[in-house]
Amino acid sequence: MAMGTSSAGAPPAGASPKGASARRRRRWRWLLPAVLALAVLAAAVLFAERRDVLPAAEECHVVTAAGEVVLDPTQASNAAVIAAVARSRNLPERAVTIALATALQESHLENMEGGDRDSIGLFQQRPSQGWGTARQIADPVYTANKFFDGLVKVPGYSRLPLTEAAQTVQKSGFPQAYAKHETDATVLAGSLTGREAESLGCTVDGAAPVAAASPRVGRDGLTGGARRIAAQVRRDFGRTVAVRAAAGGRALELLPSGEGAAARRGGWAVAHWAVARAADLGVASVAYGGAEWRTGGSSGAWRAGGEQAPAGRVLVTAGG
């Protein structure tokens, strides 16, 4: 018997090992591009729908005719306090612009625990220089009032170059540094004083109140969350904004002082304040002028319709 390979591993008659290999290569030639195309398509879909797939970053966008500014919720909240304190004192928009530019330079609108030597807070004021105690200066309402105390003593401050007005109050070692923040401060002031309607929106994590929930309502007609917001409204705006309970105690109706165009501007100032402070005060929604803002949205923008506020009032709903 002739010696040879076993017939078990032999290819069928007419088959060629080289032919089988060629067929496999041809199969991969069209299969691999198809797989890659599907992967690219899936990536494109995920990118287009990324706001529904990935959580949006918490941030606030302010867009006016003067430009656009992006802040984190803490910065936006501090800016809103400064503007509200100015309103409580009936100060003009220029005062707000000067104060915001100063705070942007001194602290980037962060309530800093320390700085140069014993400097503290939004304006980096120093206890050793008579601005108050460290605890007082760490309070944004107090420190904003102290800045405005100094500003209103500057003759003709609203007509002075911003750097000169700010420096007269601050006495900084770098007086010209305030100028680089004037554009951003102008954008923020236009929104936070209410001159630019629907110009401030924030993306804030959180959910709207659950209708079935029944949080405890106190003797003042407010839930704990609404009471906290009401207290801060009174502290930031003083007597320039009236507050009353609404919607079962979870919501507030806020009525700014003024009439006509001034009242409408005041309404947007309060509405933007509530959105800017939503993250730290637990605000779930804000409605004013036929538009509504809510937490948990991917864009943070105002939308037409939704919850409607009574005429001339800002409706703010607490998350609890």
Side-chain angles (χ1 to χ4, degrees):
M1 179 181 294
M3 299 296 292
T5 58
S6 169
S7 61
S16 166
K18 291 183 179 180
S21 178
R23 284 194 297 274
R24 286 194 295 272
R25 287 196 298 271
R26 286 195 297 271
R27 188 180 305 121
W28 279 106
R29 284 196 189 103
W30 68 261
L31 185 59
L32 186 57
V35 171
L36 290 174
L38 287 173
V40 170
L41 178 61
V45 171
L46 285 174
F47 181 80
E49 301 296 330
R50 64 192 182 281
R51 288 181 174 174
D52 295 327
V53 176
L54 300 174
E58 288 198 324
E59 60 184 18
C60 297
H61 288 257
V62 184
V63 182
T64 74
E68 178 177 2
V69 175
V70 179
L71 303 173
D72 66 36
T74 297
Q75 292 173 307
S77 180
N78 288 328
V81 171
I82 292 171
V85 169
R87 181 175 178 81
S88 76
R89 302 171 64 123
N90 295 311
L91 297 179
E93 183 177 331
R94 182 62 175 172
V96 180
T97 301
I98 295 169
L100 290 172
T102 303
L104 281 165
Q105 170 59 27
E106 297 291 350
S107 68
H108 304 290
L109 285 171
E110 300 282 353
N111 193 15
M112 298 174 65
E113 295 181 359
D116 179 41
R117 288 168 284 188
D118 59 337
S119 298
I120 297 170
L122 294 175
F123 295 92
Q124 287 294 278
Q125 296 160 342
R126 299 177 59 191
S128 63
Q129 299 301 308
W131 289 97
T133 67
R135 182 174 181 178
Q136 287 174 323
I137 299 171
D139 172 12
V141 174
Y142 173 91
T143 199
N145 267 305
K146 290 298 287 185
F147 178 84
F148 289 127
D149 284 347
L151 184 62
V152 297
K153 294 176 183 177
V154 179
Y157 73 84
S158 62
R159 299 184 300 276
L160 292 176
L162 186 146
T163 52
E164 185 176 341
Q167 174 62 5
T168 304
V169 179
Q170 293 291 109
K171 299 176 175 58
S172 168
F174 304 93
Q176 296 305 315
Y178 300 117
K180 64 185 176 184
H181 301 288
E182 185 163 4
T183 299
D184 285 351
T186 300
V187 172
L188 293 173
S191 177
L192 291 170
T193 61
R195 177 169 54 80
E196 299 268 5
E198 293 184 50
S199 57
L200 186 152
C202 296
T203 302
V204 177
D205 288 341
V210 179
S214 299
R216 183 177 178 181
V217 176
R219 292 182 179 179
D220 57 0
L222 298 173
T223 63
R227 187 177 302 110
R228 181 186 179 204
I229 297 170
Q232 201 62 54
V233 170
R234 296 184 179 104
R235 192 157 191 273
D236 288 7
F237 287 100
R239 296 184 178 182
T240 64
V241 177
V243 182
R244 76 176 187 183
R250 201 195 290 267
L252 301 168
E253 289 182 8
L254 308 180
L255 178 62
S257 59
E259 297 180 358
R264 178 171 174 78
R265 178 169 174 166
W268 279 113
V270 173
H272 289 156
W273 172 91
V275 174
R277 303 216 62 190
D280 62 316
L281 292 181
V283 173
S285 66
V286 183
Y288 181 69
E292 182 192 43
W293 172 90
R294 282 186 173 274
T295 61
S298 60
S299 69
W302 289 82
R303 300 179 183 276
E307 189 79 35
Q308 294 295 303
R313 289 174 169 79
V314 180
L315 184 66
V316 178
T317 305

